[in-house]
Amino acid sequence: MIRVTEQESRYNDIDKMSVLEILKGINHEDKSVPSAVENAIPQIEKLASAVSEKMQNGGRLFYIGAGTSGRLGVVDASECPPTFGVPFDYVVGIIAGGDTAIRRAVENAEDDTEQAWIDLQEYHINEKDCLIGLAASGTTPYVVGGLNTARKNGILTGCIVCNEGGPIAQESDFPVEVIVGPEFLTGSTRMKSGTAQKLVLNMLSTTVMIKLGRVKGNKMVDMQLTNHKLVDRGTQMVMDELNIDYDHAADLLNRYGSVRKAVEASHNK
């Protein structure tokens, strides 16, 4: 495989650049990321379709990764319950080194080929579920080992990587390879590679949740009402859907606890 993510930056002497030059260089490189993601849409479609089918039949979605990739998986998983009203164990993000590694790097955690499967066993992962490996390099041993063992146990596997043809893609039933090219800062895959992975995760989880019926029209009707902003947003949704005033909508939302339930209760009267 060609390690594009480790190739030399296209920019020399960046330590001698002005602030403006640095910012323009980073921005110029960032502009290439959406195009790289667009090129991968056929792969993303296959993965999203497969995951949707599994989850419609009672499965869950797991992400595993290390470093930036692992953190991005944790972020995406943690945002699904408040956004779509799903249980907290429905989409699970696991990072090499455990929760400590979310804020502080854990030495050698990503090099253990056995630990990912041990971590997954805490959730009793099984053949109904899906496992997606996240690694810009496409080679992280923690992720390779987890995907390999998952496949042996009949679990659907996928990945989001930024190099082509690596061992993680080879262990994936549905690989997504987003080739963003060398980073502005050589090898710093938290930059373009991380942005690409975040974009694909947004696309994947949002598409899956839509196909699971967690969106009505273009609204997050199952979102958790955890603060004043979201309560106000939910009230506006109920107003628009039922063509009623704000106070009436707020009362319905308070009574039934979600936009979906408030609207359905009113339609069923």
Side-chain angles (χ1 to χ4, degrees):
M1 63 175 291
I2 299 174
R3 293 177 177 266
V4 178
T5 56
E6 298 298 323
Q7 288 181 349
E8 194 80 9
S9 169
R10 298 185 178 98
Y11 301 79
N12 293 316
D13 299 322
I14 59 177
D15 55 324
K16 298 176 182 177
M17 288 181 175
S18 68
V19 169
L20 181 59
E21 289 172 331
I22 292 169
L23 296 176
K24 285 186 173 181
I26 292 172
N27 179 247
H28 179 76
E29 289 300 309
D30 285 345
K31 289 177 182 178
S32 69
V33 175
S35 294
V37 172
E38 182 179 11
N39 291 337
I41 284 179
Q43 292 182 324
I44 302 169
E45 179 191 15
K46 292 177 181 177
L47 177 59
S49 297
V51 171
S52 297
E53 183 177 348
K54 278 284 189 179
M55 296 185 80
Q56 285 167 349
N57 289 309
R60 297 166 294 170
L61 174 58
F62 290 86
Y63 300 129
I64 54 171
T68 297
S69 297
R71 293 182 189 102
L72 289 170
V74 171
V75 168
D76 193 73
S78 66
E79 290 177 347
C80 286
T83 305
F84 301 107
V86 297
F88 283 95
D89 61 352
Y90 199 53
V91 182
V92 179
I94 299 174
I95 183 171
D99 287 353
T100 299
I102 294 172
R103 291 180 174 83
R104 183 180 300 174
V106 176
E107 189 174 357
N108 299 323
E110 71 173 58
D111 297 326
D112 190 334
T113 59
E114 307 295 330
Q115 188 60 46
W117 185 248
I118 295 171
D119 293 341
L120 289 162
Q121 290 307 289
E122 294 184 19
Y123 298 90
H124 305 289
I125 191 170
N126 59 69
E127 67 278 358
K128 291 183 179 181
D129 300 323
C130 313
L131 177 63
I132 296 179
L134 307 173
S137 68
T139 62
T140 306
Y142 177 86
V143 178
V144 174
L147 292 173
N148 177 271
T149 307
R151 276 184 118 182
K152 291 177 180 176
N153 284 271
I155 297 166
L156 183 148
T157 60
C159 69
I160 304 171
V161 298
C162 296
N163 285 324
E164 191 173 8
I168 288 175
Q170 292 169 13
E171 293 291 353
S172 300
D173 301 314
F174 298 96
V176 174
E177 298 168 312
V178 188
I179 314 304
V180 296
E183 298 288 357
F184 175 80
L185 179 61
T186 301
S188 182
T189 52
R190 70 185 182 88
M191 300 185 78
K192 289 195 300 182
S193 296
T195 300
Q197 288 180 307
K198 174 58 175 167
L199 289 176
V200 175
L201 286 166
N202 287 349
M203 296 166 73
L204 175 66
S205 57
T206 303
T207 299
V208 168
M209 292 299 158
I210 292 170
K211 301 310 290 184
L212 291 173
R214 291 287 172 170
V215 171
K216 180 175 174 59
N218 60 7
K219 302 293 194 301
M220 299 178 289
V221 294
D222 292 320
M223 68 179 182
Q224 294 178 354
L225 306 173
T226 54
N227 57 49
H228 293 305
K229 178 190 74 173
L230 296 179
V231 170
D232 179 68
R233 182 185 298 168
T235 302
Q236 296 287 344
M237 290 184 197
V238 175
M239 285 178 62
D240 294 343
E241 185 68 24
L242 299 178
N243 195 27
I244 58 177
D245 63 41
Y246 188 93
D247 290 341
H248 187 188
D251 179 66
L252 287 173
L253 190 63
N254 181 61
R255 190 185 315 169
Y256 292 103
S258 80
V259 174
R260 183 188 296 277
K261 290 178 181 178
V263 170
E264 290 179 348
S266 296
H267 284 325
N268 291 333
K269 285 183 178 179

